Amino acid sequence: MADVLALVDARLRTGLGEPDARAAVTFLGTDRVEVLRFTDGDLVRYATLGMSVQPMADPTAALADPVKGPRAELVLSVRAGLADTDKVLRPLAVLAASPQVEGLVVAPGASLDVGEPLWPAAPFTSVLVAESGGLVEDLELDAPMEPVRFLPVLPMTPNEAAWKRVHGAGALQERWLNSGTDLRDPLRTSVPLD
């Protein structure tokens, strides 16, 4: 499994450059999760490293397959210097550990909630998981292992999260697009939802 981590680390560096900081968090009964920070002009990107060590398993399955199953890492992009976003490290690690802790399968369209602001005074307590294939290309692994997908996470206000539960991820993303919402603004307010 250390080989998977080394390959994921290399893919992150290929896609995002050299990290300028990294922090590790270990939760009881789970593998260690690192969060790497990449600075790119006026953007800061945070990427998890460790979520993909184990494949995500269907929580209804009697036994978790140690090889087969989806694998992913999370990537958050925000504008630098507007908020103390470096405090997102622990909440992001909590989200990355959720497949092991809660038996979740994290996939595009899912909502992940930490129940507290993502960083001090953040208007967001949850994220929407977006499609992979943008910033960092999927990482193919030897069969029968599935590829590692690098899933962008988009911060959501509590109102947006509630609206998304009723109308779906696609409708919320369309609302953001039609309103010209800057999803990288760490101080943005909720998109109009009426």
Side-chain angles (χ1 to χ4, degrees):
M1 292 305 153
D3 293 345
V4 170
L5 271 188
L7 292 170
V8 170
D9 195 352
R11 179 56 56 94
L12 284 169
R13 290 165 188 269
T14 300
L16 303 175
E18 284 300 312
D20 59 6
R22 60 193 318 149
V25 180
T26 305
F27 302 99
L28 187 63
T30 67
D31 294 317
R32 173 179 142 138
V33 175
E34 285 188 88
V35 179
L36 285 58
R37 183 182 71 192
F38 302 85
T39 305
D40 180 15
D42 72 335
L43 292 178
V44 180
R45 301 187 199 283
Y46 302 93
T48 63
L49 178 62
M51 181 178 171
S52 61
V53 168
Q54 305 281 340
M56 293 181 273
D58 180 345
T60 62
L63 286 173
D65 191 310
V67 178
K68 294 180 185 172
R71 295 173 189 261
E73 297 290 352
L74 306 176
V75 181
L76 169 70
S77 299
V78 291
R79 297 214 178 281
L82 301 176
D84 189 9
T85 56
D86 279 352
K87 296 285 194 295
V88 78
L89 301 179
R90 184 169 177 73
L92 203 53
V94 167
L95 296 178
S98 61
Q100 286 185 56
V101 174
E102 299 174 34
L104 295 177
V105 175
V106 177
S111 300
L112 301 174
D113 195 320
V114 291
E116 62 185 34
L118 293 177
W119 51 84
F124 318 106
T125 58
S126 62
V127 296
L128 175 65
V129 180
E131 292 286 341
S132 67
L135 283 173
V136 183
E137 288 182 35
D138 294 347
L139 173 64
E140 295 294 330
L141 299 174
D142 294 336
M145 292 189 284
E146 291 186 30
V148 176
R149 304 199 186 288
F150 297 89
L151 302 170
V153 290
L154 311 171
M156 291 189 294
T157 66
N159 285 346
E160 289 170 339
W163 197 86
K164 181 252 173 197
R165 279 192 293 278
V166 173
H167 300 280
L172 178 59
Q173 288 176 307
E174 188 174 316
R175 189 61 67 113
W176 281 336
L177 186 63
N178 292 339
S179 298
T181 305
D182 180 2
L183 296 174
R184 294 173 177 165
D185 180 354
L187 304 174
R188 76 171 180 85
T189 56
S190 184
V191 70
L193 297 170
D194 44 353

